[in-house]
Amino acid sequence: RAVQLDPNFAPAWAALSRRYNYASNYGAQGNATYRRAEEAASRALALDPEFVEAEGLSIQYHVERGNWNLAYDEANALVRKRPENAQAHFTLAYILRYGGLNDEAIRECEAAMRLDAHERRFRSCSIPFLYAGNIDRAIEFSNLDRGSQWAQSTIYQSLLRQGRVKEAQRMTGMDFIPLIQACFERRPRAEIAKLWAGLEADEMSFPDPEPKYFDGSALVYCGLHDEGLRLLRKAVESNYCAVPAMDNDPLWDSVRKTPEFAAIRKDAMACRDRALAHVQQKNRRENRK
């Protein structure tokens, strides 16, 4: 309604983009709604080329589509242009974690937090800390959006990785995920596999590779090894460089010694090496200016 009342108001288009994004990711509205999110962000940026939030959203959609080099170049330029802006640092952190550059992502997350300690959208900075094994800091970032299903899900992931399974089972708000409930209740593997079969096609076709990493690890934890590895491979093929994440993540332990895991890890290492080489090349060019 806001964009109908004033189609030239960039913040309304950015807000609409975020909500389309949430609907596609968490409301099972799929690819068509995801495209609307991209279109709304582009409209906001066209109306106001200096609008950092709109530019951050546009960059986010690039990396979720697998365009890592483009996303990094734009995020790096945004931080150089607006070093005082917390959203710019968060955007760069988002891109770096997709490239497997976890330490660099953590530094940018901390920079964003120093500039704005209350922005709930910085919640996903919990992920690089989770990958680094710093579970307490991961939970602190998740709690920027305390009480949401997103925060509950991420804290649940953190507890599992600490081996605090009973605490994870007691969490409220997780009963909306039948597959997780079936796993915790140790129902037959065939029943869990049937629940997954109804979800697999949508998840494999969705652009953003990061949920594939997390859902793949959950499937492996639940005993669906082949299904989980398929998701992990798809994530890496979509330029989600899943190292050091997969090296440090105990949920992959049951498949860590398999040939398929080793092959995916090799591809993930190559993905991260490409990302690092691009960053180094970009830095050399910037330093020559």
Side-chain angles (χ1 to χ4, degrees):
R1 176 146 175 82
V3 298
Q4 289 171 356
L5 289 170
D6 186 352
N8 296 317
F9 186 52
W13 285 102
L16 186 61
S17 175
R18 287 198 309 274
R19 282 155 179 78
Y20 277 141
N21 179 274
Y22 293 159
S24 63
N25 272 286
Y26 313 120
Q29 294 190 26
N31 286 320
T33 304
Y34 187 88
R35 285 192 294 273
R36 293 190 187 101
E38 294 175 297
E39 291 163 1
S42 296
R43 181 69 177 270
L45 196 56
L47 289 167
D48 184 355
E50 299 300 316
F51 189 15
V52 172
E53 182 182 350
E55 189 166 359
L57 286 167
S58 180
I59 293 168
Q60 173 185 325
Y61 298 143
H62 289 329
V63 80
E64 290 176 358
R65 288 285 191 188
N67 299 322
W68 194 88
N69 288 0
L70 173 62
Y72 174 79
D73 291 350
E74 293 184 354
N76 183 57
L78 183 60
V79 167
R80 287 176 177 269
K81 181 172 66 175
R82 299 292 299 275
E84 81 296 344
N85 188 281
Q87 183 68 44
H89 288 279
F90 169 74
T91 299
L92 182 55
Y94 195 96
I95 306 312
L96 289 166
R97 82 169 187 253
Y98 274 61
L101 304 178
N102 210 59
D103 292 342
E104 295 86 341
I106 285 173
R107 285 197 295 270
E108 293 298 326
C109 282
E110 294 290 15
M113 181 66 99
R114 284 193 297 272
L115 291 163
D116 185 350
H118 304 290
E119 173 52 65
R120 68 183 183 86
R121 280 172 286 169
F122 295 171
R123 63 191 188 178
S124 75
C125 271
S126 60
I127 293 172
F129 288 96
L130 184 66
Y131 291 163
N134 188 345
I135 303 298
D136 290 341
R137 190 62 170 147
I139 290 174
E140 287 175 8
F141 272 96
S142 295
N143 279 333
L144 289 170
D145 196 25
R146 186 190 301 272
S148 70
Q149 286 186 345
W150 193 98
Q152 291 292 93
S153 177
T154 307
I155 293 170
Y156 145 82
Q157 296 267 6
S158 300
L159 292 173
L160 280 188
R161 285 163 172 81
Q162 284 186 311
R164 296 158 64 183
V165 177
K166 290 185 178 179
E167 288 180 62
Q169 286 177 296
R170 289 196 297 269
M171 283 186 64
T172 59
M174 296 307 297
D175 53 355
F176 71 100
I177 306 177
L179 190 147
I180 291 174
Q181 288 298 107
C183 178
F184 276 150
E185 292 168 8
R186 299 186 181 278
R187 295 184 199 168
R189 185 186 183 283
E191 183 177 343
I192 298 173
K194 184 176 180 180
L195 288 169
W196 170 242
L199 303 171
E200 184 172 12
D202 285 342
E203 177 134 13
M204 291 295 276
S205 66
F206 192 72
D208 188 359
E210 188 166 71
K212 296 178 179 64
Y213 175 88
F214 280 102
D215 291 343
S217 66
L219 289 173
V220 166
Y221 176 78
C222 291
L224 303 184
H225 293 174
D226 291 343
E227 294 86 342
L229 287 169
R230 277 202 300 274
L231 278 183
L232 179 60
R233 173 163 290 287
K234 182 68 172 178
V236 172
E237 288 174 349
S238 302
N239 278 342
Y240 191 77
C241 310
V243 287
M246 60 192 292
D247 289 343
N248 302 330
D249 190 339
L251 296 194
W252 296 107
D253 283 352
S254 61
V255 296
R256 195 170 300 282
K257 295 181 180 180
T258 65
E260 177 65 4
F261 185 88
I264 297 170
R265 185 185 182 278
K266 182 179 178 181
D267 290 343
M269 287 290 293
C271 177
R272 187 179 69 171
D273 289 347
R274 290 192 300 272
L276 181 59
H278 182 79
V279 169
Q280 291 171 339
Q281 182 184 54
K282 188 73 176 176
N283 288 341
R284 286 194 295 268
R285 288 176 180 171
E286 293 291 343
N287 291 335
R288 286 198 295 266
K289 290 181 179 179

